Amino acid sequence: MRNRIFKYITIKNIYFIFLTYSIISISSVSLKVLEKINELPIACDPFGYLEMAREFREYFNGGSSPKFIIEHPQSVLVTEKFRSTKISHRDWYMAVAPQAYRYFDISQKTGVQYQPGTGLILGLFPEGKSIRILNRIIIGVLTGAALIGIFYSWRKSKIFSAILIAFSFLAFMVYLIILSGFSFSFNVLLIPLFFSVLTAYFSLRTNGKEKLPLLLASGILFGFSIYTRAATLFLFPGFLILIYLYGLDQREKIFTILSSITIFSLGVLVTGIIPLAIHQEIISGAWYLSTYPYHDTEFPMISEIPEILSGNIAYYYQNDRNSVIAFFIFTVFFICFLASNVIQILNRPKIEERKFANLSFQKIIALILFCLIPEIYFLTHKVHESHYLYASRLATIEFLALISLGWNFQGEILKSAGAGFHRKNIFRLIINAVLLFFIFSSSYFFLKTEILKNLQPKSETTGKKNPAFSAVSIPEELKRNSSWVIGHIYTGTFYYYTGKPAFKMGFTTKELRKEFYNFVRARNDELYIIEDDQGTTGIIKEYSLSAKEMSLRGTVFGSSYYKVIW
């Protein structure tokens, strides 16, 4: 009896039990952190996506089709006023609408800047609960997939694959926690992107009749990722490179490779590029014209690139805490993958060594390009936000973990690495020992969930539900049709609860702010300013020079607000 028990107490089984426990533990800690995220329409991304979700929800309940535009009389009046000044609309197109909305000169509409995919998915769930429900689904799906991968690795004695799968699961949870309350598009993006990479990998591993349907499914899922977040399109070249290289690896004819690329691209077109182009045609007035603001889409001048590049490098790799943690996880994972690769090469039979090394080198180069294209673009981008780089990194991490499942010979390596199997010299033994120590110590340290406990979700929606964020808490004087409201962070919040726009006058010139002041005064209407950031504090000081008095009236959304006394 004792011998039977000890038969199962092996290093392999103990470590696989540890990896399984780590995944369950990471899943539990992540769920607890994500349950703190509240569904509040604050700032730009949370408000924009929740407002779109509300329009979809109303449509699903029998209402009118979503329009994603603002047609309130105040918005129309102030837009006409600014257009009459003959000043370029670039100086005021952001000011005439709340957060997440802007004026489009070609379509002459005030519309949302985001793609509809996120609002569509969030709209499937009840208001106020959609983010929590979605996060639970994400954690459940990814936990299940990780445990299946661990079980398969245990059955096949693929210890390196198991470690990389556990690491990839940790990376998904870290990135999800960091962004869950900041940009809801990332939550929605995660599942279709995950399954797109998964189906792409399995399609590339087969030459059977299921290859093309799997590639089509991968393209459809990836297309929806683009419909959720347009910047995901930068992963498209990487997918095509991988399809091409895997085709060469399997000695496919060029016609077969091109067929695979065409089928994948067809899926991307149907659910991603074409719906996105239609949305842009409706909102911006041209299918090719992005709905994002100019500063978020225009390429910088060559002379601007050095300054932008240095600022973005400092932000992504030094200054922004969560970005540094995310990059650190990505780097350690990639080093572990390379270390596992080197061990594979060193300990394979001589006849297989060069072939395995060549194939591994090709796939690593392909995946570096897969990640590098978006990385280079956003490093030279005028705007920096931590979530810009996460989708490409996670897709790369997942692909690397899946590639490791195709490695054979892992069980023998564990036995032979310390004994010099196939290689007797001391140098190889030392390399084996160092690399194995790094892989196992890294996985042990990170998979204890210590890094999760130290994360600070980038969110203004974390913590207890704030009673200030409701329609009831908004003073009646701000809701009146004769009242005009200036703000910044809470302009979207105000619109969400009242249906009235508040204006981001910090996004225009001093001259146009004066025009707005005189315009409201000439109508004998009331003007209020919510002091919700430094910009609105400056506007209060600016208007105090012309007004009789800036009267403090109380608070709204936890911020002071003032009335301009003419």
Side-chain angles (χ1 to χ4, degrees), residues 325-389:
I325 291 174
F327 179 68
F328 184 57
I329 288 285
F330 176 78
T331 303
V332 173
F333 176 90
F334 193 71
I335 293 172
C336 281
F337 178 85
L338 291 178
S340 303
N341 232 6
V342 171
I343 292 173
Q344 289 272 320
I345 294 168
L346 288 177
N347 294 279
R348 278 179 170 268
K350 188 173 183 179
I351 194 171
E352 296 182 15
E353 185 179 289
R354 182 170 296 177
K355 179 183 177 183
F356 181 84
N358 289 339
L359 292 177
S360 296
F361 180 75
Q362 287 179 8
K363 290 168 185 174
I364 290 170
I365 292 298
L367 282 160
I368 287 174
L369 291 174
F370 189 73
C371 182
L372 205 58
I373 293 170
E375 199 96 6
I376 290 173
Y377 173 78
F378 286 116
L379 282 176
T380 56
H381 195 53
K382 291 182 180 180
V383 181
H384 53 239
E385 290 290 353
S386 55
H387 61 285
Y388 287 169
L389 301 176

Side-chain angles (χ1 to χ4, degrees), residues 467-494:
F469 290 92
S470 68
V472 177
S473 67
I474 300 174
E476 288 298 322
E477 62 182 351
L478 296 178
K479 298 179 185 179
R480 291 196 292 260
N481 290 330
S482 59
S483 299
W484 297 71
V485 179
I486 292 174
H488 183 69
I489 294 174
Y490 299 126
T491 52
T493 315
F494 184 78

Side-chain angles (χ1 to χ4, degrees), residues 294-307:
Y294 294 117
H295 65 270
D296 212 6
T297 55
E298 291 180 333
F299 289 101
M301 302 290 289
I302 294 176
S303 59
E304 296 175 318
I305 290 178
E307 183 181 354

Side-chain angles (χ1 to χ4, degrees), residues 422-435:
H422 296 301
R423 297 290 182 271
K424 301 293 185 180
N425 64 65
I426 298 297
F427 178 69
R428 290 177 184 265
L429 286 174
I430 292 172
I431 292 177
N432 277 326
V434 169
L435 294 179

Side-chain angles (χ1 to χ4, degrees), residues 63-134:
S64 58
S65 300
K67 293 183 178 180
F68 310 127
I69 59 175
I70 293 176
E71 300 175 302
H72 192 276
Q74 283 194 355
S75 183
V76 174
L77 285 169
V78 74
T79 299
E80 290 177 351
K81 173 61 181 176
F82 282 177
R83 287 184 67 193
S84 69
T85 62
K86 305 303 180 182
I87 296 174
S88 171
H89 82 284
R90 285 180 174 238
D91 289 333
W92 52 263
Y93 76 108
M94 295 279 286
V96 296
Q99 290 278 4
Y101 285 75
R102 69 181 186 91
Y103 175 74
F104 296 90
D105 192 41
I106 296 177
S107 66
Q108 296 187 3
K109 294 177 182 177
T110 300
V112 73
Q113 68 182 37
Y114 299 122
Q115 297 75 49
T118 300
L120 173 63
I121 297 301
L122 294 180
L124 297 174
F125 306 111
E127 185 176 11
K129 300 179 181 178
S130 60
I131 294 300
R132 284 199 176 103
I133 293 173
L134 182 61

Side-chain angles (χ1 to χ4, degrees), residues 1 29 160 182 191 197 236 258 271 280 315 326 346 362 406 408 433 447 477 481 541 562:
M1 183 69 177
V29 172
F160 298 130
F182 177 68
I191 293 298
V197 172
F236 187 50
L258 290 176
T271 59
Q280 292 183 168
Y315 175 83
L346 288 177
Q362 287 179 8
N408 298 316
L447 298 178
E477 62 182 351
N481 290 330
K541 292 178 180 178
Y562 294 79

